[in-house]
Amino acid sequence: MKIIDARVIVTCPGRNFVTLKVETQEGVTGVGDATLNGRELAVASYLTDHVVPALIGRDAARIEDTWQYLYRGAYWRRGPVTMSAIAAVDTALWDIKGKVAGLPVYQLLGGRSRDGVTVYGHANAESVEQVCAEVARYVEMGYRAVRVQTGIPGLAATYGVGKDKLFYEPADAAIPTEAQWSTDRYLHHIPGVFARVRDEFGPNLKLLHDVHHRLTPIEAARLGQLLEPYALTWMEDPVPAELQEGFRLIRQHTTTPIAVGEVFNTVWDCQQLIREQLIDYVRATVVHAGGITHLRRIFDLAALHHVRSGSHGATDLSPVCMAAALHLDVSIPNFGLQEYMRHTEATDAVFPHTYRFADGYLHPSEEPGLGVDIDEELAAGYPYRPASLPVNRLEDGTLHHW
Ligand code: CS2
Ligand code: MG
């Protein structure tokens, strides 16, 4: 099963996506997502210039060996660019293996551990009233879990509150736009939002909130305490996570569960968080954490320490990543939740897929492989557009975490 071709496709059907398509001598193809928001072309170059030439002629069946070859072989290990590139190759090879076996990828991962993958949607709006209306829309669509973000009085724009409700997209300009942040205003406002939402929707709806790495551990501990009466499913990314031991402080003070990991690339980013049981959900993804092969390792370590999965699934992760995520989600023993932000119609058309949403669950494809593809002709009609994520400043002008 020799690899005879591998090509990198960059397309922008509403936002930029990088996709790797691998082809074998027998004509079997596989796809992998390599999108890294705001740094798309760096991964495209890593693949085209350094990885693709070494893939040609390799045996497509040797997934683990190829993973090790790309990880150890580069000498320079880890990092989002490297790991997204490796992820794309790994995902494409799992897709090929499934097609050759005639089985959906989840069957190769041990088969189903559950009937459906519980997903959460994003309710975001400027005011508490508006956000309640957004939550109600998700409940009507069948969602069992909703993430809630609102504007903060006194701040011009807030993370998570976009113009478009179903496809929130923060990468809005070639040069980063500047947003404003105030921890005091935020901490004062957010508990009241959850008091209202919990009161209106009752105890059975799972509620989540994304702090987007903006607090210090002691501030996060306080927020966790303030939110305890509203029984959140998780408080996400309370602090930047480079300092894994920083989570000890949060943990000592609150029973609000903690989720973190959308920027993690390898198990080394979270091994202390997991081993010391400092978190409850690990949110690493197929595309940014080295593909199905490596993400499964992270989830296996997590399973030993009562940590569940909660993979990132924002609009900047393509339907190829979502398709792959669902095969893992449905098969692992310690699945928690899957984020599901819907893609635009143009994106869905460029990436035809057969996973489907019903009653608050996503269901992976039953087709051999991942059950997703890229329509290259359609993709060619959407050329790359430079777009960066914003930066954040405190009211005195200090650059803060976005
Ligand atoms: C977010 C993302 O979905 C989330 O939890 O944190 O919207 C994140 O900001 C983007 O995916 C960054 O690319
Ligand atoms: Mg997040």
Side-chain angles (χ1 to χ4, degrees), residues 37 122 147 159 210 212 236 262 283 312 314 316 339 402:
N37 201 354
H122 284 208
R147 183 186 102 160
Y159 161 76
D210 190 350
H212 223 252
E236 175 177 330
E262 65 185 48
R283 302 193 65 253
H312 188 203
D316 51 294
E339 181 180 13
W402 176 71

Side-chain angles (χ1 to χ4, degrees), residues 178 180 392-400:
E178 303 218 344
Q180 205 186 36
N392 219 3
R393 287 189 191 277
L394 301 180
E395 286 162 298
D396 70 357
T398 306
L399 197 82
H400 194 60

Side-chain angles (χ1 to χ4, degrees), residues 116-121 142-146 206 208 322 326 329 335-342 357-363:
V117 171
T118 309
V119 296
Y120 69 92
Y143 281 76
R144 294 153 197 270
V146 185
K206 290 182 193 299
L208 303 86
M322 182 55 78
L326 294 174
D329 290 339
F335 169 76
L337 263 184
Q338 168 69 54
E339 181 180 13
Y340 176 43
M341 232 201 269
R342 291 172 189 242
F357 175 85
D359 293 331
Y361 301 108
L362 272 174
H363 298 277

